[in-house]
Amino acid sequence: MTFEPTIIAFLCNWCSYAGADLAGVSRFSYPTSIRAIRVMCSGRVDPALVLEAFINGADGVFVMGCHLGDCHYLIGNFYAQRKIKMLKKLIALTGLEPERLRLEWVSASEGARFAELVKDFTNQMKALGPSPVAGEKPDPNILENLLAAKAAVEDFRLRVLVGREGEMVDEGNVYGEKVSQEEFDEIMDEAIAAEYIRNKMYIMLKKVPQSVKELSKRLNIDPRNVLRHIVILRQRGMVAMAKVEGTTPLWAALEVGGR
Amino acid sequence: MAQQKEKPRVGVFVCHCGINIGGFVNVPQVVRYARTLPNVVHAEENIYTCSAEGIASIKEAIKEHDLNRVVVASCTPRTHEPLFRGACADAGLNPYLFELANIREHCSWVHMREPDKATEKAKDLVRMAVARVSLLEPQEEPEIDVMPTALVIGGGISGMTSALCLAGQGFKVYLVERKPELGGMLKKIYRLYPTGEEASRVIGDYVNAVMGHKNIVVLTSANIKDVKGYIGNFEVTVLKEGEEIKLKIGTIIVATGAIEFKPVGLYGYGRYDRVLTQVELEEILKGGKSAIDKRFFKLQRVVMIQCVGSREERPPRAYCSRICCMVAIKNAMIIKEWYPDSDVYVVYQDMQTYGKEYEEYHRRAREAGIRFVSYTKGSPPEVTALPNGRLKVVVYHALLGIRRELDCDLVVLSTPLIPYEDAKELSKMLKVPLGQDGFFFEAHVKLRPIDFATDGIYVCGTAHSPKDVGESVSQALGVASRAAIPMAVKRLRAEAITSVVDESLCSGCGTCIRICPYGAIQKDERGIAKVIEVMCKGCGTCGASCPERAISMRHFKDEQIIAQIHAILRRVAA
């Protein structure tokens, strides 16, 4: 049997959901791969929801909103755009193909475009094959990476950067100081990489206490960097020294939150 | 959610929609499948769930099976949700404990050639809806009082028309005009097409009616300084001659008008004093023939150039200004009437004299001897000065394929109406959008052409886009009627789908305050974010961006959406 991808589509109520309705009214046929979840605005699509879908084995996630400038809520789709931009970079670190996440604008009058996009994305996913975490035997590595990515987007730092990108780049702070887009992207890339690796370390330490050296080897990053992350995780109250073996401290994850 | 969470008892109603769904999706199979889903205690099929029998059947089932959640699997919630919610409410169920599974627009109509797969998808959609509805919570729509007072911003023909219409219905109206006098753009205009009435007389009648109306308070030389609040309860600060006036307002009408584009650098405008815009010409025409003679001695030949600075490749002036063709014809006819021996040329790209009256006017102009010469965008006319002070216009006649040189006494440029520069500030204060061209942007181009997406604020006249007096008046009467509705009803139900801040999680970082396009989130005295529910439109962007994940969206909570995701991906055994 040929592979039939499962695609979750987050459709904004005002444009793309209406566009999908129009595709129906116009009888534009498209593949049955897509399952739509209606949200009021594409800006509502929390990055954690997208990762939740991938963790549970979605082959693709499609986010659709109103065309830029046409958002029913004026600017929600700009926030969607920033979130997806961040997410694609983050997903690229997990080993899952970032092309599995796609953002498109579909207006209420673009029924044909909706049908075309679903066809196109379905074909793209067919060519890519099933998600490595779909089905009975998900790739444990990528699954763990995705869990780390989800924890990263649930945390303060990436969320505040995404939420304030427009303010930092376009409007400037209270002193009128602006950050250029390149500078911002650099800060963002650094934050994505750091938060991802910290959360990955946290998940690893949750399973079994480990030394900096062990973590360094398994993550294939410089032990000095691992130590820096450990220091920050300790400041955040996420890890603590579990015991010392010889002269080597072993670190363990603490239970945090309660959310 | 004060009330105890009860165990969900879901009823599922699967609609055949005649053959629209039933012809492609195996409805009985979907019903049987629905019965196997967790929390489902009743499932049935209907030929038309939206029919009187279908609705009655939902109400009966709610009573008979003690349902506390309802799923209808039929068509799009965008059209039918209110109907089914009403049925739930009639049967004593909170209308928000309802969910539609769209198995028509999103399924049977688009998968007609794959009935088996369509049936499987319909089952999935029902499973998603059941998972979601099980987690839905009852919502209440807060009621708000509406102040029966309107604010009209702009004292031109549109603003005055709206103000008179509302005042005539008994509402109090504040009319704010930035200039010292009412009248707006029409004060500069000589005659109106196609009737030829004098604009000053029309405007004079309106000004007198407005000034004399007991329900209208006119504030001239006044500007809007600040707008707070929401429909029914706006608090507006008006600045009049250094003095701040605070007004309590129920609805707001934006009728701020537009100005004429000054085409500096185009066709010798700004360089030769014989190159004018149409409005500048009108201002001279108002002085009568003697004013023309005084300035240009005698008009032997006049050339009008159309589409100057409009219909450009890119915004902000990509639009057709709609009125210029008629304005040019009107002014050409006036000149021809005053100087029967003169030649009047209208050099155009396309003459757009839409509708029967205007086309007739165009025909009369041709009969009167006005000459129409077309040019193409690629080779626009050129204007140069002659040694004797007159002008030379070189036109490449696109139809004849020849160059024509026209000596003339006057060149008139038909330039578009453009938005006021400070429309941006007003749009920010009112939290309503501008389009790419800088004009105020309506909620829906066809279906809500004079509303803003923000409740209680409406737009009319040339603040919205270029239009003539007749069209502006129609819109002005339209907005008066729109604005009167909430003021006549006096009480409104606000949106129940709003965001909620969990105070224990909020760190007061203020990200949501910056994100909210409606200014619906403020910090309270403790520095914690607080949602002003009646201002919230329920987009949810604040919640999806909150760094502390302290904000949730009513009716679109994370766990409700996650339930849908899980319902799709973690297949429940049939």
Side-chain angles (χ1 to χ4, degrees), chain A residues 4 13 17 21 24 28-30 34-36 38 43-44 52 56 73 83 156 159 164 167 171 259, chain B residues 76 78 102 106 110-111 117 121 124 128 509-511 514 518 539 544-546 548 556 558 566 570:
Chain A
E4 297 285 342
N13 181 56
Y17 194 93
D21 281 352
F28 293 132
S29 65
Y30 53 80
I34 193 161
R35 300 290 178 270
R38 185 170 67 111
R44 165 68 184 95
E52 181 71 25
N56 283 286
Y73 303 103
K83 288 184 178 107
F156 190 86
R159 294 177 78 88
R164 300 235 164 180
E167 189 184 334
E171 294 167 35
R259 290 187 207 169
Chain B
T76 174
R78 289 177 50 85
N102 186 347
H106 289 194
V110 287
H111 309 312
K117 283 188 184 173
K121 179 167 171 178
D124 274 12
M128 286 166 70
C509 72
T511 304
R514 298 298 295 252
Y518 303 101
C539 67
S545 309
C546 173
E548 301 287 4
F556 286 92
D558 276 357
H566 288 179
R570 288 187 189 153

Side-chain angles (χ1 to χ4, degrees), chain B residues 28-240:
Chain B
Q29 213 185 96
V30 176
V31 172
R32 278 199 299 279
Y33 174 75
R35 290 198 181 109
T36 66
L37 293 170
N39 300 328
V40 173
V41 295
H42 171 74
E44 65 174 66
E45 57 194 275
N46 314 105
I47 299 302
Y48 288 103
T49 313
C50 63
S51 66
E53 298 90 78
I55 296 296
S57 178
I58 293 176
K59 291 186 202 169
E60 269 165 43
I62 291 173
K63 298 235 159 69
E64 193 189 327
H65 301 279
D66 195 20
L67 303 178
N68 57 21
R69 301 285 192 286
V70 170
V71 168
V72 173
S74 61
C75 46
T76 174
R78 289 177 50 85
T79 57
H80 279 64
E81 194 173 62
L83 176 75
F84 295 127
R85 276 186 175 173
C88 292
D90 286 349
L93 194 60
N94 184 289
Y96 287 84
L97 299 175
F98 166 80
E99 179 70 7
L100 256 172
N102 186 347
I103 61 167
R104 192 180 72 175
E105 279 86 344
H106 289 194
C107 191
S108 68
W109 276 352
V110 287
H111 309 312
M112 289 176 153
R113 278 173 238 138
E114 301 174 285
D116 291 343
K117 283 188 184 173
T119 302
E120 285 311 304
K121 179 167 171 178
K123 288 181 189 171
D124 274 12
L125 296 178
V126 169
R127 189 170 64 238
M128 286 166 70
V130 169
R132 174 171 157 78
V133 86
S134 299
L135 295 178
L136 290 181
E137 292 165 348
Q139 307 291 345
E140 297 303 329
E141 292 162 351
E143 279 207 343
I144 45 176
D145 289 324
V146 180
M147 185 74 135
T149 304
L151 168 70
V152 178
I153 309 174
I157 187 75
S158 304
M160 289 195 291
T161 302
S162 296
L164 282 169
C165 185
L166 283 167
Q169 295 175 68
F171 299 111
K172 175 150 196 169
V173 182
Y174 288 94
L175 180 59
V176 174
E177 166 59 44
R178 66 167 100 202
K179 299 263 170 58
E181 282 173 41
L182 297 175
M185 179 63 106
L186 282 196
K187 284 177 60 120
K188 298 180 181 172
I189 305 300
Y190 174 46
R191 286 181 187 275
L192 303 179
Y193 66 77
T195 55
E197 288 160 280
E198 277 190 40
S200 60
R201 286 180 61 175
V202 172
I203 225 57
D205 291 347
Y206 271 81
V207 173
N208 289 339
V210 166
M211 299 302 281
H213 205 295
K214 65 176 172 34
N215 288 346
I216 304 179
V217 177
V218 178
L219 300 169
T220 48
S221 304
N223 283 292
I224 306 298
K225 191 178 169 227
D226 188 37
V227 180
K228 284 205 173 71
Y230 45 87
I231 181 171
N233 300 274
F234 291 107
E235 288 170 24
V236 180
T237 311
V238 177
L239 195 63
K240 180 176 162 64

Side-chain angles (χ1 to χ4, degrees), chain A residues 56-67:
Chain A
N56 283 286
D59 295 306
V61 174
F62 216 156
V63 179
M64 294 191 198
C66 310
H67 286 273

Side-chain angles (χ1 to χ4, degrees), chain A residues 10-11 15 21 23-24 46 53 58 64 69-70 83 90 102 105-106 117 123 128 138 147 151 181 200 229 237 253:
Chain A
F10 293 100
L11 307 183
C15 293
D21 281 352
D46 193 311
M64 294 191 198
D70 292 346
K83 288 184 178 107
L90 180 62
R102 185 162 167 187
W105 313 129
V106 174
L117 285 170
N123 287 337
L128 210 54
L147 287 167
Q181 188 66 53
K200 169 97 179 155
H229 291 315

Side-chain angles (χ1 to χ4, degrees), chain A residues 55-57 130-143:
Chain A
I55 287 165
N56 283 286
S131 157
V133 290
E136 293 303 307
K137 286 186 188 138
D139 181 315
N141 230 336
I142 296 179
L143 186 59

